[in-house]
mmCIF file of all heavy atoms in Angstrom:
data_model
loop_
_atom_site.group_PDB
_atom_site.id
_atom_site.type_symbol
_atom_site.label_atom_id
_atom_site.label_comp_id
_atom_site.label_asym_id
_atom_site.label_seq_id
_atom_site.Cartn_x
_atom_site.Cartn_y
_atom_site.Cartn_z
ATOM 1 N N LEU D 1077 -36.970 35.476 51.919
ATOM 2 C CA LEU D 1077 -36.637 35.232 50.609
ATOM 3 C C LEU D 1077 -35.286 34.448 50.555
ATOM 4 O O LEU D 1077 -34.233 34.780 51.106
ATOM 5 C CB LEU D 1077 -36.331 36.646 49.887
ATOM 6 C CG LEU D 1077 -35.994 36.498 48.320
ATOM 7 C CD1 LEU D 1077 -37.296 35.975 47.480
ATOM 8 C CD2 LEU D 1077 -35.747 37.893 47.797
ATOM 9 N N ARG D 1078 -35.382 33.260 49.962
ATOM 10 C CA ARG D 1078 -34.335 32.339 50.024
ATOM 11 C C ARG D 1078 -33.781 32.021 48.515
ATOM 12 O O ARG D 1078 -34.567 32.003 47.579
ATOM 13 C CB ARG D 1078 -34.637 31.079 50.694
ATOM 14 C CG ARG D 1078 -35.036 31.315 52.036
ATOM 15 C CD ARG D 1078 -35.333 30.016 52.847
ATOM 16 N NE ARG D 1078 -35.746 30.252 54.206
ATOM 17 C CZ ARG D 1078 -34.877 30.502 55.254
ATOM 18 N NH1 ARG D 1078 -33.595 30.466 55.088
ATOM 19 N NH2 ARG D 1078 -35.453 30.647 56.499
ATOM 20 N N PHE D 1079 -32.614 31.662 48.407
ATOM 21 C CA PHE D 1079 -31.922 31.363 47.172
ATOM 22 C C PHE D 1079 -31.786 29.801 47.088
ATOM 23 O O PHE D 1079 -31.202 29.195 47.983
ATOM 24 C CB PHE D 1079 -30.641 32.026 47.022
ATOM 25 C CG PHE D 1079 -29.891 31.694 45.629
ATOM 26 C CD1 PHE D 1079 -30.319 32.312 44.510
ATOM 27 C CD2 PHE D 1079 -28.813 30.884 45.654
ATOM 28 C CE1 PHE D 1079 -29.555 32.039 43.312
ATOM 29 C CE2 PHE D 1079 -28.187 30.520 44.568
ATOM 30 C CZ PHE D 1079 -28.514 31.020 43.319
ATOM 31 N N ARG D 1080 -32.138 29.181 45.928
ATOM 32 C CA ARG D 1080 -31.980 27.846 45.724
ATOM 33 C C ARG D 1080 -31.184 27.545 44.418
ATOM 34 O O ARG D 1080 -31.731 27.825 43.297
ATOM 35 C CB ARG D 1080 -33.387 27.033 45.643
ATOM 36 C CG ARG D 1080 -33.147 25.557 45.388
ATOM 37 C CD ARG D 1080 -34.601 24.991 45.464
ATOM 38 N NE ARG D 1080 -35.439 25.648 44.512
ATOM 39 C CZ ARG D 1080 -36.812 25.643 44.637
ATOM 40 N NH1 ARG D 1080 -37.401 25.252 45.716
ATOM 41 N NH2 ARG D 1080 -37.575 26.422 43.680
ATOM 42 N N ALA D 1081 -30.005 27.158 44.532
ATOM 43 C CA ALA D 1081 -29.126 26.998 43.270
ATOM 44 C C ALA D 1081 -29.562 25.851 42.521
ATOM 45 O O ALA D 1081 -30.098 24.841 42.941
ATOM 46 C CB ALA D 1081 -27.655 26.703 43.835
ATOM 47 N N ASP D 1082 -29.455 26.074 41.131
ATOM 48 C CA ASP D 1082 -29.881 25.016 40.118
ATOM 49 C C ASP D 1082 -28.815 25.052 39.093
ATOM 50 O O ASP D 1082 -28.710 26.022 38.235
ATOM 51 C CB ASP D 1082 -31.221 25.320 39.676
ATOM 52 C CG ASP D 1082 -31.731 24.293 38.765
ATOM 53 O OD1 ASP D 1082 -30.946 23.370 38.259
ATOM 54 O OD2 ASP D 1082 -32.977 24.396 38.375
ATOM 55 N N PRO D 1083 -28.127 23.853 38.994
ATOM 56 C CA PRO D 1083 -27.013 23.833 37.863
ATOM 57 C C PRO D 1083 -27.554 24.116 36.443
ATOM 58 O O PRO D 1083 -26.839 24.715 35.592
ATOM 59 C CB PRO D 1083 -26.561 22.333 38.013
ATOM 60 C CG PRO D 1083 -26.862 21.942 39.316
ATOM 61 C CD PRO D 1083 -28.171 22.779 39.728
ATOM 62 N N LEU D 1084 -28.828 23.769 36.233
ATOM 63 C CA LEU D 1084 -29.355 24.008 34.993
ATOM 64 C C LEU D 1084 -29.314 25.532 34.541
ATOM 65 O O LEU D 1084 -29.080 25.822 33.342
ATOM 66 C CB LEU D 1084 -30.863 23.580 35.005
ATOM 67 C CG LEU D 1084 -31.745 23.996 33.768
ATOM 68 C CD1 LEU D 1084 -31.248 23.026 32.509
ATOM 69 C CD2 LEU D 1084 -33.196 23.852 33.838
ATOM 70 N N VAL D 1085 -29.590 26.387 35.434
ATOM 71 C CA VAL D 1085 -29.547 27.803 35.001
ATOM 72 C C VAL D 1085 -28.208 28.170 34.575
ATOM 73 O O VAL D 1085 -28.035 28.940 33.529
ATOM 74 C CB VAL D 1085 -29.922 28.684 36.271
ATOM 75 C CG1 VAL D 1085 -29.823 30.105 36.000
ATOM 76 C CG2 VAL D 1085 -31.383 28.328 36.727
ATOM 77 N N PHE D 1086 -27.110 27.832 35.284
ATOM 78 C CA PHE D 1086 -25.744 28.179 34.932
ATOM 79 C C PHE D 1086 -25.308 27.558 33.588
ATOM 80 O O PHE D 1086 -24.603 28.125 32.795
ATOM 81 C CB PHE D 1086 -24.917 27.812 36.058
ATOM 82 C CG PHE D 1086 -25.224 28.554 37.333
ATOM 83 C CD1 PHE D 1086 -25.895 27.810 38.314
ATOM 84 C CD2 PHE D 1086 -25.155 29.868 37.544
ATOM 85 C CE1 PHE D 1086 -26.268 28.586 39.617
ATOM 86 C CE2 PHE D 1086 -25.529 30.457 38.683
ATOM 87 C CZ PHE D 1086 -26.128 29.891 39.673
ATOM 88 N N ILE D 1087 -25.747 26.193 33.403
ATOM 89 C CA ILE D 1087 -25.535 25.515 32.117
ATOM 90 C C ILE D 1087 -26.209 26.407 30.999
ATOM 91 O O ILE D 1087 -25.611 26.499 29.997
ATOM 92 C CB ILE D 1087 -25.976 24.090 32.237
ATOM 93 C CG1 ILE D 1087 -25.241 23.320 33.145
ATOM 94 C CG2 ILE D 1087 -25.847 23.438 30.837
ATOM 95 C CD1 ILE D 1087 -25.686 21.816 33.575
ATOM 96 N N GLY D 1088 -27.445 26.750 31.205
ATOM 97 C CA GLY D 1088 -28.174 27.468 30.293
ATOM 98 C C GLY D 1088 -27.481 28.794 29.938
ATOM 99 O O GLY D 1088 -27.432 29.217 28.706
ATOM 100 N N ILE D 1089 -27.003 29.456 30.873
ATOM 101 C CA ILE D 1089 -26.318 30.782 30.665
ATOM 102 C C ILE D 1089 -24.994 30.489 29.786
ATOM 103 O O ILE D 1089 -24.776 31.175 28.861
ATOM 104 C CB ILE D 1089 -26.008 31.426 32.010
ATOM 105 C CG1 ILE D 1089 -27.262 31.891 32.733
ATOM 106 C CG2 ILE D 1089 -24.990 32.596 31.716
ATOM 107 C CD1 ILE D 1089 -26.933 32.480 34.043
ATOM 108 N N ALA D 1090 -24.357 29.412 30.123
ATOM 109 C CA ALA D 1090 -23.068 29.097 29.479
ATOM 110 C C ALA D 1090 -23.367 28.788 27.972
ATOM 111 O O ALA D 1090 -22.659 29.277 27.065
ATOM 112 C CB ALA D 1090 -22.420 27.975 30.010
ATOM 113 N N VAL D 1091 -24.352 27.911 27.824
ATOM 114 C CA VAL D 1091 -24.566 27.390 26.372
ATOM 115 C C VAL D 1091 -25.196 28.602 25.569
ATOM 116 O O VAL D 1091 -24.988 28.704 24.307
ATOM 117 C CB VAL D 1091 -25.395 26.213 26.247
ATOM 118 C CG1 VAL D 1091 -24.780 25.045 26.910
ATOM 119 C CG2 VAL D 1091 -26.830 26.322 26.959
ATOM 120 N N SER D 1092 -26.055 29.415 26.227
ATOM 121 C CA SER D 1092 -26.568 30.529 25.401
ATOM 122 C C SER D 1092 -25.496 31.605 25.110
ATOM 123 O O SER D 1092 -25.524 32.104 23.936
ATOM 124 C CB SER D 1092 -27.558 31.363 26.313
ATOM 125 O OG SER D 1092 -28.689 30.400 26.621
ATOM 126 N N ALA D 1093 -24.572 31.760 26.017
ATOM 127 C CA ALA D 1093 -23.476 32.715 25.613
ATOM 128 C C ALA D 1093 -22.556 32.245 24.467
ATOM 129 O O ALA D 1093 -22.195 32.918 23.602
ATOM 130 C CB ALA D 1093 -22.479 32.909 26.872
ATOM 131 N N ILE D 1094 -22.338 30.930 24.461
ATOM 132 C CA ILE D 1094 -21.564 30.233 23.349
ATOM 133 C C ILE D 1094 -22.297 30.450 22.076
ATOM 134 O O ILE D 1094 -21.850 30.845 21.000
ATOM 135 C CB ILE D 1094 -21.251 28.845 23.725
ATOM 136 C CG1 ILE D 1094 -20.302 28.737 24.875
ATOM 137 C CG2 ILE D 1094 -20.670 28.012 22.461
ATOM 138 C CD1 ILE D 1094 -20.153 27.338 25.468
ATOM 139 N N ALA D 1095 -23.690 30.167 22.107
ATOM 140 C CA ALA D 1095 -24.517 30.231 20.935
ATOM 141 C C ALA D 1095 -24.592 31.568 20.407
ATOM 142 O O ALA D 1095 -24.949 31.856 19.263
ATOM 143 C CB ALA D 1095 -25.898 29.627 21.259
ATOM 144 N N LEU D 1096 -24.459 32.637 21.179
ATOM 145 C CA LEU D 1096 -24.476 33.966 20.816
ATOM 146 C C LEU D 1096 -23.242 34.456 20.150
ATOM 147 O O LEU D 1096 -23.318 35.536 19.448
ATOM 148 C CB LEU D 1096 -24.906 34.896 22.030
ATOM 149 C CG LEU D 1096 -26.280 34.928 22.591
ATOM 150 C CD1 LEU D 1096 -26.372 35.689 23.786
ATOM 151 C CD2 LEU D 1096 -27.256 35.462 21.473
ATOM 152 N N ILE D 1097 -22.182 33.809 20.184
ATOM 153 C CA ILE D 1097 -20.846 34.201 19.775
ATOM 154 C C ILE D 1097 -20.918 34.620 18.183
ATOM 155 O O ILE D 1097 -20.549 35.548 17.732
ATOM 156 C CB ILE D 1097 -19.752 33.309 20.081
ATOM 157 C CG1 ILE D 1097 -19.562 33.361 21.692
ATOM 158 C CG2 ILE D 1097 -18.534 33.582 19.343
ATOM 159 C CD1 ILE D 1097 -18.555 32.305 22.124
ATOM 160 N N PRO D 1098 -21.491 33.541 17.423
ATOM 161 C CA PRO D 1098 -21.484 33.849 15.968
ATOM 162 C C PRO D 1098 -22.254 35.053 15.572
ATOM 163 O O PRO D 1098 -21.741 35.883 14.711
ATOM 164 C CB PRO D 1098 -22.153 32.535 15.373
ATOM 165 C CG PRO D 1098 -21.855 31.442 16.448
ATOM 166 C CD PRO D 1098 -21.929 32.275 17.760
ATOM 167 N N TYR D 1099 -23.363 35.338 16.214
ATOM 168 C CA TYR D 1099 -24.158 36.614 15.895
ATOM 169 C C TYR D 1099 -23.311 37.735 16.324
ATOM 170 O O TYR D 1099 -23.275 38.778 15.728
ATOM 171 C CB TYR D 1099 -25.460 36.581 16.603
ATOM 172 C CG TYR D 1099 -26.329 37.748 16.325
ATOM 173 C CD1 TYR D 1099 -26.902 37.965 15.127
ATOM 174 C CD2 TYR D 1099 -26.533 38.747 17.300
ATOM 175 C CE1 TYR D 1099 -27.595 39.100 14.818
ATOM 176 C CE2 TYR D 1099 -27.248 39.833 16.989
ATOM 177 C CZ TYR D 1099 -27.737 40.086 15.864
ATOM 178 O OH TYR D 1099 -28.542 41.265 15.585
ATOM 179 N N ALA D 1100 -22.802 37.647 17.558
ATOM 180 C CA ALA D 1100 -21.966 38.888 18.034
ATOM 181 C C ALA D 1100 -20.832 39.194 17.120
ATOM 182 O O ALA D 1100 -20.551 40.455 16.855
ATOM 183 C CB ALA D 1100 -21.531 38.614 19.498
ATOM 184 N N LEU D 1101 -20.179 38.198 16.520
ATOM 185 C CA LEU D 1101 -19.016 38.464 15.685
ATOM 186 C C LEU D 1101 -19.481 39.025 14.341
ATOM 187 O O LEU D 1101 -18.919 39.949 13.811
ATOM 188 C CB LEU D 1101 -18.226 37.131 15.473
ATOM 189 C CG LEU D 1101 -17.506 36.623 16.631
ATOM 190 C CD1 LEU D 1101 -16.919 35.250 16.357
ATOM 191 C CD2 LEU D 1101 -16.443 37.646 17.178
ATOM 192 N N SER D 1102 -20.504 38.485 13.738
ATOM 193 C CA SER D 1102 -21.033 38.867 12.447
ATOM 194 C C SER D 1102 -21.657 40.409 12.545
ATOM 195 O O SER D 1102 -21.326 41.163 11.562
ATOM 196 C CB SER D 1102 -22.069 38.004 11.920
ATOM 197 O OG SER D 1102 -23.248 37.969 12.661
ATOM 198 N N SER D 1103 -22.365 40.605 13.604
ATOM 199 C CA SER D 1103 -23.018 41.931 13.712
ATOM 200 C C SER D 1103 -22.037 43.094 14.044
ATOM 201 O O SER D 1103 -22.273 44.291 13.956
ATOM 202 C CB SER D 1103 -24.093 41.832 14.738
ATOM 203 O OG SER D 1103 -23.610 41.563 16.038
ATOM 204 N N ALA D 1104 -20.760 42.622 14.388
ATOM 205 C CA ALA D 1104 -19.742 43.621 14.773
ATOM 206 C C ALA D 1104 -19.033 44.071 13.516
ATOM 207 O O ALA D 1104 -18.095 44.988 13.564
ATOM 208 C CB ALA D 1104 -18.609 43.043 15.726
ATOM 209 N N GLU D 1105 -19.344 43.536 12.297
ATOM 210 C CA GLU D 1105 -18.675 43.896 11.048
ATOM 211 C C GLU D 1105 -18.779 45.333 10.765
ATOM 212 O O GLU D 1105 -17.838 45.925 10.111
ATOM 213 C CB GLU D 1105 -19.275 43.031 9.938
ATOM 214 C CG GLU D 1105 -18.498 43.245 8.623
ATOM 215 C CD GLU D 1105 -19.118 42.453 7.505
ATOM 216 O OE1 GLU D 1105 -19.792 41.529 7.820
ATOM 217 O OE2 GLU D 1105 -18.730 42.643 6.327
ATOM 218 N N PHE D 1106 -19.906 46.010 11.122
ATOM 219 C CA PHE D 1106 -20.297 47.301 10.696
ATOM 220 C C PHE D 1106 -20.333 48.317 12.079
ATOM 221 O O PHE D 1106 -20.982 49.222 11.943
ATOM 222 C CB PHE D 1106 -21.517 47.486 9.917
ATOM 223 C CG PHE D 1106 -21.250 46.890 8.504
ATOM 224 C CD1 PHE D 1106 -21.722 45.627 8.305
ATOM 225 C CD2 PHE D 1106 -20.773 47.568 7.626
ATOM 226 C CE1 PHE D 1106 -21.607 44.973 7.111
ATOM 227 C CE2 PHE D 1106 -20.732 47.066 6.240
ATOM 228 C CZ PHE D 1106 -21.052 45.739 6.046
ATOM 229 N N THR D 1107 -19.400 47.993 13.019
ATOM 230 C CA THR D 1107 -19.426 48.747 14.208
ATOM 231 C C THR D 1107 -18.772 50.114 13.822
ATOM 232 O O THR D 1107 -18.172 50.125 12.719
ATOM 233 C CB THR D 1107 -18.641 48.112 15.317
ATOM 234 O OG1 THR D 1107 -17.376 47.662 14.762
ATOM 235 C CG2 THR D 1107 -19.424 46.931 15.845
ATOM 236 N N PRO D 1108 -18.923 51.243 14.678
ATOM 237 C CA PRO D 1108 -19.587 51.235 15.971
ATOM 238 C C PRO D 1108 -21.191 51.325 15.956
ATOM 239 O O PRO D 1108 -21.626 51.846 14.897
ATOM 240 C CB PRO D 1108 -19.030 52.266 16.706
ATOM 241 C CG PRO D 1108 -18.726 53.345 15.522
ATOM 242 C CD PRO D 1108 -18.315 52.521 14.391
ATOM 243 N N LEU D 1109 -21.696 50.876 16.957
ATOM 244 C CA LEU D 1109 -23.203 51.196 17.115
ATOM 245 C C LEU D 1109 -23.380 52.556 17.657
ATOM 246 O O LEU D 1109 -22.486 53.078 18.317
ATOM 247 C CB LEU D 1109 -23.715 50.199 18.250
ATOM 248 C CG LEU D 1109 -25.206 49.973 18.292
ATOM 249 C CD1 LEU D 1109 -25.782 49.385 16.947
ATOM 250 C CD2 LEU D 1109 -25.600 49.110 19.433
#
């Protein structure tokens, strides 16, 4: 079993995390869960 790095994956993780921020902030208005 070998690992093959791909910059696309890490770029995808980064942009997804950034895109999730607005939802994370708005849904925190009525915390706690």
Side-chain angles (χ1 to χ4, degrees):
L1077 186 63
R1078 300 184 183 276
F1079 178 79
R1080 180 176 55 207
D1082 185 347
L1084 172 70
V1085 177
F1086 302 104
I1087 294 173
I1089 293 173
V1091 298
S1092 298
I1094 294 171
L1096 284 171
I1097 289 175
Y1099 178 73
L1101 293 175
S1102 65
S1103 61
E1105 181 178 351
F1106 290 95
T1107 53
L1109 198 65

